[in-house]
Amino acid sequence: MRRLLARRMKFHLFGAFFVSVGCAALYKFGIAEPRKRAYAEFYKNYDAMKDFEAMKAAGVFECAPPK
């Protein structure tokens, strides 16, 4: 029973490290990278003035009434 805690702590420390690295990699490649690509694709052809004119025509803004 000597040094049982130290042996088990070493095992759990390595296990926790690999699980946390795995979770970080899954988040990066499963969520963050696709989100970055989606934003880049959206803003590649985004025209802010066209969107503003559409919202203005719809009456969204009080300061810029529709014509």
Side-chain angles (χ1 to χ4, degrees), residues 17-61:
F17 176 75
F18 288 120
V19 167
S20 64
V21 168
C23 287
L26 282 174
Y27 179 81
K28 178 176 174 49
F29 295 113
I31 295 172
E33 291 298 323
R35 186 179 292 173
K36 286 180 190 177
R37 281 194 301 273
Y39 274 106
E41 184 65 32
F42 175 77
Y43 283 110
K44 190 184 300 181
N45 299 320
Y46 180 69
D47 185 13
M49 287 307 294
K50 182 177 151 187
D51 199 25
F52 170 72
E53 292 298 329
M55 287 190 283
K56 182 178 170 183
V60 174
F61 303 116

